[in-house]
Amino acid sequence: MPKRPRIAVVGSANVDLTTFTDLFPKPGETIFGQKFDLGFGGKGANQAVAAQLCGAEVFMVARVGSDLFGPATIENFKKLGIDATHVKQVAGVSSGVAPIFVESGGQNRILVVKGANDELKPSDVDAAAEMLKTVDCIVLQFEIPLETVYYTIAFARKHGIRCILNPAPGQPIDVDGIKGLDYFVPNESEAETISGMPVRNLDDAKACAGKLLKDGIGRVIMTLGANGSLLASRDGMEHLPAFALKSIDSTGAGDAFIGSFALFLGEGLSEREAVRRANLYAGLSTTGVGTQKSFYDRARFDAEWKARNES
Ligand code: RIB
């Protein structure tokens, strides 16, 4: 029985307002969408939920707004068994929200209004320090202030805690601020924004990962959607393909990948094996609608993994 990893997510929590549509209104126009879904989301929260459903003990550090969504988000963490001691409501701001549009092929467009996520400050990391010092891994994204991300990476490094950064949404960064992390996990568009290099195919992805390594980032895992992932370090690069699945909504697949990867690594698997499993976990999440509600629990995941890996 592998040990139960303790994972902290210092990151965002949003409420997702997902509209399914193939058409978009012109300025001044009103049109009908096909379907709507309301659910808990946010890259940080999604990654926390994925790690929890896969079997980790999860601690969330986040800020929510003084609106209907704030207490509901805290309640959702508690209901799922995630420690929400360090999730606090901020007066006078809205919760983070994400209007999302999904086309019939499953492709999504997301607009994030950060709201209270922007209020998560380095001092909040200090306030959670005693808890953070007890975890095996800290997971971060870019929906909170970058100064908090850099501060948390430095904290993780100082205390010898594994640190995984998902630079989403992509934005220009100070590479010196992230050098202490263990894993940098962008998708193609985030890698493009940060490196300034185009990523249209696997060769581009390898060249881009090479640049990120040269810039001083120790290990890069680039998620490539239906093409799987690229694992890159100074020891070499390996492309690990995706599993064939029928996708209806890809929203949150990257989060499913990161939360499950953190867990599988924490259970002692090699990077390669952790990435292979995370590829399947992320792919399975695209077969359902929404983000957190489309994530598999461990028993369902293990059954899918076994069906593909044992004859
Ligand atoms: O990665 C998907 C997530 O991005 C959504 O849940 C949305 O809230 C945005 O943060």
Side-chain angles (χ1 to χ4, degrees):
M1 186 76 178
K3 79 174 180 84
R4 190 174 184 207
R6 289 167 65 84
I7 296 174
V9 176
V10 177
S12 59
N14 296 333
V15 167
D16 292 345
L17 307 117
T18 305
T19 298
F20 293 81
T21 182
D22 286 321
L23 298 172
F24 295 89
K26 298 191 202 76
E29 190 185 28
T30 302
I31 59 172
F32 293 115
Q34 284 141 10
K35 204 170 67 174
F36 176 77
D37 183 74
L38 181 69
F40 294 103
K43 295 180 194 300
N46 295 344
Q47 293 168 22
V49 170
Q52 173 80 18
L53 288 173
C54 286
E57 195 175 350
V58 179
F59 303 81
M60 188 77 201
V61 180
R63 290 296 174 267
V64 294
S66 54
D67 50 19
L68 284 176
F69 295 151
T73 299
I74 294 174
E75 206 37 56
N76 182 54
F77 285 131
K78 289 184 182 164
K79 198 184 83 201
L80 291 165
I82 292 171
D83 186 308
T85 309
H86 296 283
V87 182
K88 309 261 193 246
Q89 261 188 295
V90 185
V93 288
S94 74
S95 292
V97 292
I100 299 175
F101 302 93
V102 180
E103 296 168 35
S104 40
Q107 189 55 269
N108 63 66
R109 297 161 203 240
I110 307 178
L111 199 64
V112 172
V113 181
K114 291 202 285 178
N117 295 306
D118 243 352
E119 303 300 321
L120 188 65
K121 299 286 160 63
S123 56
D124 301 319
V125 176
D126 287 339
E130 289 315 306
M131 174 278 286
L132 290 172
K133 283 181 204 164
T134 71
V135 302
D136 310 305
C137 177
I138 297 178
V139 181
L140 294 152
Q141 321 73 30
F142 277 175
E143 285 181 335
I144 58 171
L146 287 183
E147 62 161 338
T148 308
V149 173
Y150 300 148
Y151 187 83
T152 311
I153 292 171
F155 176 95
R157 182 168 200 176
K158 180 168 165 208
H159 296 285
I161 302 163
R162 174 180 289 150
C163 188
I164 299 175
L165 171 63
N166 170 223
Q171 48 202 285
I173 52 163
D174 168 14
V175 176
D176 284 340
I178 65 163
K179 278 186 183 158
L181 54 79
D182 296 282
Y183 292 95
F184 185 69
V185 191
N187 67 14
E188 301 103 314
S189 72
E190 291 144 12
E192 280 190 359
T193 304
I194 290 160
S195 69
M197 291 176 69
V199 183
R200 294 157 304 208
N201 52 44
L202 188 56
D203 286 340
D204 285 354
K206 287 181 177 168
C208 177
K211 177 173 190 302
L212 292 167
L213 295 174
K214 210 161 145 233
D215 286 346
I217 297 171
R219 282 192 194 83
V220 177
I221 298 171
M222 202 182 296
T223 55
L224 305 169
N227 288 324
S229 327
L230 177 70
L231 177 55
S233 73
R234 288 189 188 85
D235 303 329
M237 293 195 200
E238 186 177 9
H239 173 229
L240 295 163
F243 293 83
L245 290 156
K246 186 162 167 32
S247 167
I248 58 165
D249 179 3
S250 63
T251 318
D255 302 329
F257 180 95
I258 286 155
S260 63
F261 172 71
L263 174 283
F264 292 129
L265 210 55
E267 284 185 344
L269 289 177
S270 67
E271 280 165 15
R272 185 178 189 278
E273 286 306 309
V275 169
R276 288 186 63 226
R277 282 163 181 77
N279 273 350
L280 177 61
Y281 191 78
L284 290 168
S285 80
T286 72
T287 63
V289 165
T291 53
Q292 297 173 21
K293 62 177 87 161
S294 70
F295 295 173
Y296 277 41
D297 66 19
R298 186 58 182 266
R300 284 176 77 209
F301 170 77
D302 281 347
E304 295 284 347
W305 178 257
K306 204 167 160 209
R308 287 166 176 81
N309 288 281
E310 279 176 19
S311 45

